[in-house]
C-alpha cells in the first residue's frame, strides 16, 4: 500500500508540474511579446493598428495591411475548406463503400503530413500559373461591372495574390477539419441513424437532423482547429501571396499576412524599431488567435446551454 501511495503522489505531482509548466510557457511567451513590441507601440501608438504604411527606410510601420491579409486569407480558406471537408466526412461515414474508405482516409492523412513549404512551391509553380492563365481572366471578365463583386475580382491576373493564398490554405486545413469531423461523425450511435432510416428519412435528413446536431460541438472544434492553422500558416502563404504591404479591394491582388511579413523581414530588421514592429505583429497574431478561440468557447457554451 505504501508503494502505491508513493506512485499516486508522484503521479499527482508530475501531472500538476506538467500543467503548471504549460501555464509558465504561455506566460513567458506573452511577456516576451509584450516586452519586444513595447517600443513599436510606444512610438506609433494606436496608429500602428490603423496605418497601412510599411517603410523600413523611413522607419514608418503600420500593421493594418498584414492584419487585413491574415483575416481575408483565413476567411477564403474557411469558405472553401469547410464545405468540402464536411462533404468528405459525410461521404466517408454515410455513403462510401467499405473498400474505398481506407484509401480515401489514408490520402487525407497524407495531405496533413505534407510540409507547408511543399504546398508553397506547388502553389507558386503550378497553381498560380494555372489561375493566371485559365481562371482569373474568366472570373475578371465574368464579374466586370457587377456591383461589389466587380471590385472584389478586379485588376490584372497576377496569378499570385490573396485569393491564391486562400486556396492554398483551404487545401492545407482540409485534412484537419475532415479528420476531426469524420471521427466525431463515427461517434453517433448507430441506433439513432437506424431509427431515422426506419422512419423513412433520406440520407440528407439523417445527416442534417441526426448526425450534425449530435456532433455539432466536435464539428465546431474541428473548424476552429483548421482556422487556427490558417491564421498561423507561414511558408506556403509567403510563396504565393505576393508580399505587398498594401490593402486592395480586389482579392486577386498581391498582399501580405502577419506570418509572411515576419518570415520575410525578420532577418533584415537591423534597427530596434524595425524588430519591435515585427514582434508587435507577432503579438497581434497571438491576440487574434486568442479572440478566435474565445469566440469558439463562447459558441460551444451557448450550444450546451441550448441543449440543456
Amino acid at each position: 500500500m505504501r508503494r502505491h501511495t508513493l506512485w499516486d503522489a508522484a503521479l499527482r505531482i508530475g501531472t500538476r508540474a506538467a500543467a503548471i509548466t504549460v501555464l509558465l510557457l504561455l506566460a513567458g511567451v506573452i511577456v516576451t511579446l509584450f516586452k519586444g513590441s513595447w517600443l513599436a507601440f510606444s512610438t506609433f501608438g494606436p496608429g500602428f493598428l490603423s496605418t497601412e504604411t510599411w517603410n523600413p527606410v523611413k522607419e514608418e510601420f503600420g500593421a493594418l495591411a498584414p492584419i487585413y491579409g491574415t483575416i481575408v486569407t483565413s476567411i477564403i480558406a474557411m469558405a472553401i475548406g469547410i464545405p468540402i471537408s464536411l462533404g468528405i466526412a459525410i461521404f466517408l461515414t454515410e455513403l462510401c463503400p467499405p473498400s474505398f474508405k481506407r484509401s480515401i482516409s489514408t490520402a487525407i492523412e497524407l495531405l496533413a503530413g505534407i510540409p507547408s513549404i511543399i504546398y508553397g512551391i506547388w502553389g507558386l509553380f503550378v497553381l498560380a500559373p494555372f489561375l493566371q492563365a485559365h481562371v482569373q481572366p474568366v472570373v475578371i471578365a465574368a464579374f466586370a461591372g457587377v456591383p461589389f463583386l466587380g471590385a472584389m475580382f478586379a485588376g490584372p491576373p497576377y496569378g499570385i495574390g490573396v485569393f491564391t493564398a486562400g486556396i492554398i490554405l483551404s487545401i492545407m486545413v482540409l485534412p484537419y477539419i475532415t479528420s476531426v469531423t469524420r471521427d466525431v461523425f463515427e461517434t453517433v450511435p448507430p441506433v439513432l441513424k437506424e431509427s431515422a432510416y426506419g422512419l423513412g428519412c433520406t440520407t440528407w435528413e439523417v445527416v442534417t437532423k441526426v448526425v450534425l446536431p449530435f456532433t455539432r460541438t466536435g464539428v465546431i472544434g474541428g473548424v476552429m482547429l483548421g482556422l487556427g492553422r490558417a491564421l498561423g500558416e507561414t511558408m506556403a502563404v509567403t510563396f504565393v501571396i505576393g508580399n505587398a504591404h498594401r490593402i486592395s479591394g480586389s482579392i486577386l491582388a498581391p498582399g501580405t499576412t502577419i506570418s509572411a511579413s515576419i518570415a520575410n523581414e525578420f532577418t533584415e530588421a537591423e534597427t530596434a524599431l524595425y524588430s519591435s514592429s515585427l514582434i508587435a505583429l507577432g503579438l497581434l497574431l497571438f491576440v487574434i488567435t486568442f479572440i478566435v478561440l474565445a469566440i469558439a468557447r463562447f459558441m460551444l457554451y451557448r450550444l450546451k446551454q441550448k441543449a440543456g
Side-chain angles (χ1 to χ4, degrees):
M1 291 297 296
R2 183 178 180 183
R3 180 182 178 184
H4 291 301
T5 302
L6 291 175
W7 276 110
D8 287 343
L11 178 64
R12 189 182 307 110
I13 294 172
T15 53
R16 182 176 299 177
I20 294 174
T21 300
V22 171
L23 296 177
L24 291 176
L25 289 173
L26 180 61
V29 170
I30 295 173
V31 170
T32 302
L33 289 175
F34 270 104
K35 183 178 178 181
S37 60
W38 177 252
L39 178 60
F41 284 117
S42 61
T43 302
F44 302 110
F48 183 74
L49 303 176
S50 58
T51 303
E52 181 182 349
T53 303
W54 189 272
N55 192 332
V57 177
K58 297 182 179 179
E59 291 201 321
E60 297 176 355
F61 302 103
L64 187 59
I67 293 174
Y68 171 82
T70 300
I71 295 174
V72 172
T73 53
S74 299
I75 291 175
I76 295 172
M78 292 296 103
I80 299 174
I82 291 175
I84 297 176
S85 299
L86 291 179
I88 296 173
I90 292 170
F91 175 75
L92 289 175
T93 55
E94 304 297 329
L95 302 170
C96 183
S99 57
F100 292 144
K101 186 174 182 179
R102 183 181 296 274
S103 300
I104 298 175
S105 299
T106 302
I108 293 171
E109 292 167 0
L110 287 175
L111 282 177
I114 298 176
S116 61
I117 193 169
I118 302 301
Y119 280 110
I121 294 173
W122 175 80
L124 180 63
F125 292 106
V126 179
L127 180 62
F130 175 80
L131 293 176
Q132 183 183 28
H134 303 289
V135 177
Q136 291 184 356
V138 177
V139 173
I140 293 171
F143 291 109
V146 179
F148 182 70
L149 293 178
M152 182 182 295
F153 296 98
Y158 294 103
I160 59 174
V162 173
F163 182 66
T164 306
I167 294 177
I168 291 292
L169 287 177
S170 69
I171 299 172
M172 297 183 69
V173 304
L174 187 146
Y176 295 92
I177 302 176
T178 301
S179 296
V180 174
T181 52
R182 178 200 60 195
D183 292 340
V184 297
F185 285 169
E186 290 178 344
T187 64
V188 179
V191 65
L192 295 180
K193 295 189 288 186
E194 292 170 0
S195 300
Y197 283 122
L199 292 173
C201 293
T202 62
T203 303
W204 172 258
E205 290 172 329
V206 170
V207 170
T208 56
K209 304 297 183 182
V210 177
V211 176
L212 288 177
F214 188 86
T215 60
R216 54 189 174 184
T217 300
V219 171
I220 292 176
V223 170
M224 291 301 111
L225 176 64
L227 180 57
R229 175 69 189 273
L231 288 170
E233 179 53 42
T234 303
M235 293 310 300
V237 174
T238 304
F239 272 86
V240 299
I241 198 169
N243 302 306
H245 280 275
R246 65 173 181 268
I247 297 176
S248 175
S250 173
I251 61 175
L252 302 181
T256 190
T257 64
I258 293 175
S259 300
S261 297
I262 296 174
N264 273 328
E265 303 183 34
F266 205 85
T267 56
E268 302 174 1
E270 299 179 351
T271 64
L273 184 58
Y274 195 178
S275 298
S276 180
S277 298
L278 292 173
I279 296 174
L281 290 179
L283 177 61
L284 292 175
L285 181 59
F286 181 89
V287 172
I288 292 172
T289 305
F290 177 81
I291 292 173
V292 169
L293 293 177
I295 293 174
R297 296 289 295 182
F298 178 74
M299 291 173 60
L300 294 176
Y301 173 74
R302 291 296 301 272
L303 289 175
K304 289 180 180 179
Q305 277 191 329
K306 290 182 179 180

